[in-house]
Structures are given as C-alpha cells and as structure tokens.
Amino acid sequence: MDLRLQLVAIAVSGALFLFVFELVRRRRLMERYALLWLFSTGVLLALAVWTNALEGISGAVGVAYAPSALFAVAFGFMLVLLLHFSLVISRLTDQSKVLAQHVGQLREKVDELTAEASERDGAPREDDRQPLARAGGERS
Amino acid sequence: MHRLLAIVPAYNEAAAIAATIDDIRRKAPGWDVLVVDDGSTDNTAGRATTTGARVIRHPFNLGIGGAVQSGYLFALENGYDYAVQVDGDGQHDAGYLPEMLGRLQSSQDLNMVTGSRFLAEDREGYRSSAPRRLGIRAFSWILSRITGRAITDPTSGLRMTDRHGIELFARDYPHDYPEVEAVLLLHAHKLRAEEIPVRMRPRTTGRSSITSSVSVIYMTKVLLAVFVGLFRTRPNVDPGDNAAVSAEASL
C-alpha cells in the first residue's frame, strides 16, 4: 500500500478512535454504545498499520487493490453500526411509548383522586382537569 | 432515631420476594422495606404489596443499575439516613444488617459497608460459579490496585451506605453491572468503603440477570468503564456540577 495512503488511513482511524475515547471520558457517550465504535476503529487502525494482514485479507477475498479492502471493511462496520442504531432506536421508541402510556394512566389516577378529594371537601369545584402543557408552552 | 431503608431490587422474583421481605422484617426490624420492581412480567409487585412493603414499579426493565438508583432516589427524597441493598432473590441474609449498620455508625469516616463472600475463613455458603469467580477475581485485583485497599468481592450486591452514599448514588449510578463501577465511584469521591465477611445463599428460584453469553460483553464494558475512569480528572458529578447526562453541551 502506498505510504501516503497508509499514513492517511492511520491518521483518520487513529483520530476517530481517540475522539470516541474522549467522548466516553467526558461522559457524553455511554460505554455500552462506545464498544462497537472502539472495536471497529481499532480494527481499522490495526489493518492500516499492519498492511500484511490487509493484503492477506484482500488476497483471500480476491480484491486486487489492498486499500479497497480497507474500504470494504470500513463499509462493513458502518453497516453493523447502522443496524445497531436501528435496534437501539426501536428499543427506545418502544420504551417511550410505554412511558407515555404509564404517564397517561398515572394522570388519570391523579385526576380521579383530586376529584374525589374535592368532592369530599364539599366544595363543588369545576373540573380542574387541564390539558397537558405543550412542550415549551406555559401552563395556565 | 435514624431512618433506615432496605432497597430490594427485584425482576421476576414473585416466588422469592415475600420470603426476602419477611427475612428483613424479622432480622432487621428497624428497616423500612422498598421493593423496586424493575418491569417484572410476573406478580412480583403484587406479592410485595401484600406484605405491606413500599413498591416502586418501573414501566419497563431498566436493569439492576437503574433499579437500585430508583431506590437511592427514594431514600434521598424521603430523608433516609442509611440505605442498604438486598437482592430480591433471597441470596442475601438480612441477619447481617445490624452488624453492617453498627460498623457504619461506629466509624466516623466510613461511608459504605459491603458484605463479601470471600472474606469468610470457612469457605462455606454460596460463592458463585467457577467462571464467574474468575471474573470476580479479575475485577477484585484491578479494583484493589486502583483504590489501594483490598476489595475481595467487587460484585457483591449486599451493600449499605450512609447519607453521603445515598446522595452520590441518587445523583449518579452506573448502568449495567454497576457494582464494580460503584466501588470506583465512591473512591473517586473520596468516600471510604469496607467489607465484612458474609455467607450468601444460592438462589432457589428465578434467574440471574447475568447470563453467560452477555457476561463477556458486560465484562468488556465494565473493563472499558474502569479504564476510561482512570483518565477522568473530574470523574464524577459533585453538587453544583453540570448534570451527568445533559442535553446542554452535546454535539
């Protein structure tokens, strides 16, 4: 592999690895989501440094130009990462649905209890159920 | 009179939860019991409620870290002075609570007491399976190196903290497989922890939250967390700091 190309590959994957590590250190990225990133950038970095392995891989799968193999490996990791995100998003979507439903149930219960309490106080008040405040809006 | 809270995280422990609560009531009568039902699909919450314990129900499973932190949040909000974690599966013997509390109260600068399975000299009681013991051994070696104290059972879930520990854990508690990281968290905040020898029972019902297939991933994750933690200058959140998880200042 061309030395210039190798240096660029090392610099890019190395920088990405350090950036991900720094994000974890600053607690902006959770460890459980960092593992896959660190693993893929680590492998890419290793292949960029150790060109024999890269040439071995490209030879084995019949890629004539070794840097293309590096590209293919990177592409493979991208696909896995994207799929991983889809899985995470699916889980989060489901969880936020469940959360909203539970908040709804609790709200109904609170309204019910408030109504009961005001009935018991004898002061027939108007229904003080209010529409949910919109995000960013003010409650009247 | 100090206010004492026993936090019992439980996930699908309907068969064991009542006995666990009963055990605490009998052997440590001064403790209020709070069950954190972490999204169980069985009748764990129902069984716990009928015993008269307070129950927090999570709408879905957050994992042991989220469940325990819910308990600490409750302890903080309700002004408890001491909190202890007791697993809902009945592995922990509540008979140790008085001894742990005595230890915490008798020494001024002690903030957490952990029950260790590996301190006892007789080697009796439940000491986990062989492959897990290997993992525990590894973590115990690493943590002892980092903290400069002997930590023999870093994964023990039987731990009691004072108000400082409650405040810290309510604000910031690790996610999955949190016991190991919690030890480091305490250390980073210069809070002191100690271990006492305990015997644990093997679980009789239910399943462990850590199956062998995910435990390798967990171990890697915790190792990463421990390793990254070494590079944090201000590792954790103190009062007045920015929140641990904040929408501000994100990319």
Side-chain angles (χ1 to χ4, degrees):
Chain A
M1 187 156 71
D2 179 33
L3 181 66
R4 228 175 1 166
L5 191 58
Q6 188 184 5
L7 288 180
V8 170
I10 291 174
V12 170
S13 46
L16 194 56
F17 186 89
L18 289 180
F19 184 55
V20 172
F21 190 88
E22 178 63 12
L23 284 176
V24 178
R25 196 181 73 86
R26 286 169 185 254
R27 308 193 60 171
R28 302 255 286 278
L29 179 59
M30 278 159 74
E31 285 90 354
R32 65 165 91 150
Y33 300 122
L35 279 181
L36 200 50
W37 277 109
L38 290 177
F39 178 70
S40 26
T41 51
V43 169
L44 289 177
L45 185 61
L47 287 178
V49 172
W50 189 27
T51 45
N52 283 348
L54 183 62
E55 266 145 30
I57 291 176
S58 49
V61 295
V63 176
Y65 183 54
S68 298
L70 189 63
F71 191 77
V73 171
F75 182 74
F77 278 133
M78 285 304 113
L79 281 183
V80 173
L81 275 166
L82 287 176
L83 183 61
H84 175 65
F85 293 148
S86 300
L87 290 175
V88 172
I89 291 172
S90 304
R91 198 188 67 223
L92 290 177
T93 307
D94 202 38
Q95 288 183 342
S96 67
K97 181 200 75 179
V98 172
L99 263 188
Q101 289 168 338
H102 278 250
V103 170
Q105 304 277 331
L106 286 179
R107 211 180 140 73
E108 194 276 337
K109 196 164 278 176
V110 169
D111 288 342
E112 203 68 24
L113 290 173
T114 326
E116 264 175 39
S118 58
E119 249 169 57
R120 227 178 313 126
D121 294 344
R125 264 187 285 167
E126 276 177 52
D127 192 353
D128 45 35
R129 292 182 199 194
Q130 287 166 353
L132 272 171
R134 301 231 176 265
E138 269 186 11
R139 289 199 68 160
S140 51
Chain B
M1 189 61 195
H2 290 299
R3 303 195 62 204
L4 313 170
L5 181 70
I7 300 165
V8 184
Y11 177 55
N12 288 345
E13 301 286 2
I17 192 70
T20 307
I21 297 169
D22 186 54
D23 193 48
I24 299 173
R25 291 255 167 79
R26 273 188 299 114
K27 296 176 182 165
W31 293 80
D32 294 344
V33 180
L34 171 73
V35 174
V36 182
D37 171 18
D38 192 22
S40 296
T41 49
D42 67 2
N43 194 24
T44 303
R47 290 279 168 80
T49 311
T50 49
T51 66
R54 307 281 293 263
V55 180
I56 288 179
R57 275 185 297 167
H58 286 169
F60 44 79
N61 185 255
L62 289 182
I64 179 72
V68 167
Q69 195 181 23
S70 250
Y72 282 116
L73 213 53
F74 182 90
L76 182 71
E77 296 282 314
N78 294 280
Y80 281 94
D81 301 297
Y82 294 94
V84 63
Q85 291 168 229
V86 181
D87 281 0
D89 55 17
Q91 286 194 78
H92 298 157
D93 185 345
Y96 292 108
L97 299 197
E99 185 189 345
M100 293 169 84
L101 184 63
R103 192 68 162 267
L104 262 186
Q105 289 179 327
S106 62
S107 121
Q108 263 307 311
D109 56 344
L110 191 61
N111 304 101
M112 184 167 89
V113 172
T114 306
S116 166
R117 284 163 286 183
F118 306 107
L119 269 181
E121 274 161 23
D122 52 15
R123 295 185 169 265
E124 274 176 49
Y126 179 66
R127 294 152 61 82
S128 198
S129 58
R132 274 193 212 171
R133 269 215 301 278
L134 202 69
I136 294 173
R137 193 78 76 63
F139 280 127
S140 130
W141 186 82
I142 295 170
L143 289 189
S144 302
R145 275 304 112 93
I146 295 175
T147 60
R149 288 184 303 107
I151 292 166
T152 60
D153 197 354
T155 60
S156 164
L158 179 63
R159 33 185 69 182
M160 186 184 292
T161 59
D162 65 354
R163 185 75 188 171
H164 288 286
I166 294 174
E167 282 167 6
L168 172 61
F169 289 152
R171 214 164 45 231
D172 190 9
Y173 200 72
H175 295 272
D176 7 51
Y177 210 180
E179 288 86 5
V180 175
E181 284 176 67
V183 172
L184 285 181
L185 199 62
L186 273 181
H187 177 70
H189 283 265
K190 307 216 169 6
L191 300 185
R192 224 163 56 77
E194 239 176 51
E195 291 181 332
I196 65 162
V198 299
R199 282 191 207 165
M200 290 189 192
R201 299 181 281 241
R203 67 162 55 236
T204 48
T205 60
R207 267 176 301 140
S208 167
S209 56
I210 300 159
T211 56
S212 56
S213 54
V214 296
S215 66
V216 175
I217 299 175
Y218 270 171
M219 265 198 73
T220 321
K221 199 231 98 187
V222 176
L223 278 177
L224 173 69
V226 169
F227 181 67
V228 175
L230 292 178
F231 291 88
R232 291 192 177 122
T233 42
R234 292 286 313 283
N236 302 303
V237 191
D238 277 320
D241 281 1
N242 293 328
V245 182
S246 163
E248 302 274 311
S250 56
L251 284 178

